[in-house]
């Protein structure tokens, strides 16, 4: 009986021999390349911080999984929780709930404070935190370009005892 052929991509190099260090470096590079591809095009797990999404997410200690398949607003609906590039703080990410999509009319101000309605322009969305008094959102920076959406938050993965799917809880109303 002939032994099975080895797959070179999965081969673990030996620690001895003339090519051993080079093979080890190549495998490390493959690992980092795979991690990069996954986090850039499939999804990523990140820690959250801040009070804007209470009670959905805690102030600290929660880790979420966001799917990058929804980046740039592809397939996003009103009520979805999204991960965004923060428009006021370059290099910072944030999680917010989508309250309006292009063409929708939304209340511009905090409920009970103002009554001005605006229509969301094409290519933009309206975001808000679940904890309205402690959220910096579209009420502060206006409609967010869909290009700043990094992904849709799918699940809370840590702490392990509180893991759950993040569901769209908003229900459409008829006027």
């Amino acid at each position: 009986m002939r032994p099975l052929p080895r797959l070179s991509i999965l081969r673990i190099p030996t620690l001895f021999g003339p090519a051993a260090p080079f093979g080890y470096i190549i495998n490390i590079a493959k690992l980092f390349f795979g991690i990069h591809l996954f986090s850039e095009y499939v999804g990523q797990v990140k820690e959250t911080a801040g009070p804007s999404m209470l009670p959905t997410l805690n102030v600290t200690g929660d880790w979420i999984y966001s799917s990058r398949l929804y980046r740039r607003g592809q397939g996003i609906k009103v009520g979805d929780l999204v991960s965004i590039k923060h428009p006021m703080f370059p290099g910072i990410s944030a999680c917010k709930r989508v309250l309006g999509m292009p063409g929708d009319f939304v209340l511009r101000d905090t409920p009970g404070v103002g009554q001005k309605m605006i229509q969301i322009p094409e290519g933009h969305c309206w975001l808000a935190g679940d904890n309205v008094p402690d959220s910096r959102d579209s009420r502060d920076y206006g409609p967010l370009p869909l290009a700043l959406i990094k992904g849709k938050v799918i699940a809370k993965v840590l702490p392990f005892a509180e893991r759950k799917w993040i569901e769209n809880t908003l229900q459409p109303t008829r006027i």
Side-chain angles (χ1 to χ4, degrees):
M1 180 174 252
R2 229 171 49 194
L4 294 174
R6 289 180 137 191
L7 297 174
S8 63
I9 195 165
L10 300 175
R11 186 181 67 214
I12 298 172
T14 63
L15 296 176
F16 306 104
F22 183 70
Y24 185 69
I25 291 170
I26 293 295
N27 278 348
I28 296 284
K30 288 177 188 177
L31 175 67
F32 282 115
F33 183 67
I35 291 170
H36 168 73
L37 283 177
F38 185 85
S39 67
E40 193 65 30
Y41 297 104
V42 179
Q44 57 185 201
V45 176
K46 293 184 86 170
E47 185 176 17
T48 63
S52 70
M53 288 308 297
L54 281 170
T56 307
L57 300 171
N58 294 320
V59 176
T60 59
D62 283 352
W63 287 74
I64 56 167
Y65 172 75
S66 66
S67 172
R68 301 277 290 173
L69 302 176
Y70 295 89
R71 67 183 175 275
R72 293 186 165 90
Q74 298 172 357
I76 296 294
K77 298 179 294 204
V78 171
D80 288 341
L81 192 63
V82 293
S83 174
I84 63 167
K85 294 178 185 175
H86 204 289
M88 295 175 75
F89 305 107
I92 301 292
S93 295
C95 288
K96 302 291 177 196
R97 192 165 305 277
V98 177
L99 293 186
M101 293 299 285
D104 291 349
F105 286 90
V106 294
L107 184 62
R108 188 191 72 181
D109 303 310
T110 302
V113 174
Q115 297 299 319
K116 184 168 183 187
M117 298 285 285
I118 64 167
Q119 185 174 19
I120 301 170
E122 201 60 38
H124 291 72
C125 64
W126 191 265
L127 303 176
D130 289 352
N131 184 9
V132 174
D134 291 321
S135 178
R136 187 173 287 133
D137 49 39
S138 287
R139 294 169 298 146
D140 300 308
Y141 48 76
L144 182 87
L146 291 172
L148 294 181
I149 294 179
K150 293 174 23 174
K152 177 179 172 181
V153 177
I154 302 294
K156 178 178 171 179
V157 294
L158 289 174
F160 195 71
E162 298 176 20
R163 70 191 183 283
K164 64 179 180 178
W165 297 110
I166 303 291
E167 307 216 357
N168 184 338
T169 57
L170 291 182
Q171 299 296 320
T173 59
R174 293 191 171 193
I175 299 176

